[in-house]
Amino acid sequence: MINGPTQLSKPLQTLVTRALTLCEMMLPHCQAIYPFAAIYEDGKVGCLFTDEQLRIQNESFLIEQLQWRIIDTTTDSDSYSVLAYAATVQTEYHEKLDAIAINTTSPDGEENLLLYPYFRVGKRIVVSPPIAN
């Protein structure tokens, strides 16, 4: 079920805004975004990476590895996190739209999945307002 846009705390809004900006910069140069994660702790934003020694099997595997990195990094801390990856949204008319999925997590463990459909207009990327899942 799709609920309306979710109100985010200032740290999560900072992370989401930066993630969307990065996606808008990457998408004109590729078909879909490469999954990435970031954390916000003590007013600072940091990136999380997977273990490059692991052989990446597919995008789902990479997303799972990033989820574990978030858990390992933010456990017992007052951190916020985002995990961004490519998604497809199906409308009520069965039309499929490309989207940026951003999974947000607060220090209290609250999670939200925000879906930002986007469109290619020439060489520009136009990101629509989020729909919450």
Side-chain angles (χ1 to χ4, degrees):
M1 177 176 166
I2 295 176
N3 304 317
T6 302
Q7 290 293 341
L8 300 174
S9 64
K10 187 164 177 86
L12 283 177
Q13 189 60 50
T14 297
L15 286 172
V16 168
T17 299
R18 290 186 182 186
L20 289 173
T21 299
L22 180 58
C23 290
E24 288 174 337
M25 290 171 45
M26 288 187 326
L27 282 168
H29 306 288
C30 56
Q31 284 299 106
I33 62 167
Y34 191 77
F36 63 91
I39 60 168
Y40 183 101
E41 185 174 21
D42 296 327
K44 297 179 184 173
V45 175
C47 298
L48 295 178
F49 299 95
T50 60
D51 182 357
E52 62 253 0
Q53 301 301 319
L54 295 174
R55 186 171 160 252
I56 304 302
Q57 298 168 354
N58 58 38
E59 186 176 6
S60 296
F61 180 77
L62 182 56
I63 291 168
E64 182 179 345
Q65 292 302 308
L66 287 168
Q67 288 171 326
W68 281 112
R69 289 282 305 163
I70 289 170
I71 291 167
D72 290 345
T73 305
T74 61
T75 299
D76 298 327
S77 71
D78 192 30
S79 301
Y80 297 82
S81 67
V82 294
L83 172 59
Y85 52 93
T88 303
V89 177
Q90 186 169 335
T91 68
E92 61 187 271
Y93 302 108
H94 303 289
E95 179 184 357
K96 291 185 178 182
L97 303 174
D98 290 328
I100 301 164
I102 300 181
N103 187 17
T104 67
T105 307
S106 299
D108 62 4
E110 181 183 347
E111 291 188 33
N112 285 298
L113 176 61
L114 301 170
L115 299 169
Y116 292 84
Y118 68 88
F119 305 91
R120 294 177 187 274
V121 179
K123 293 184 178 184
R124 287 191 54 233
I125 300 298
V126 178
V127 178
S128 295
I131 52 177
N133 188 3

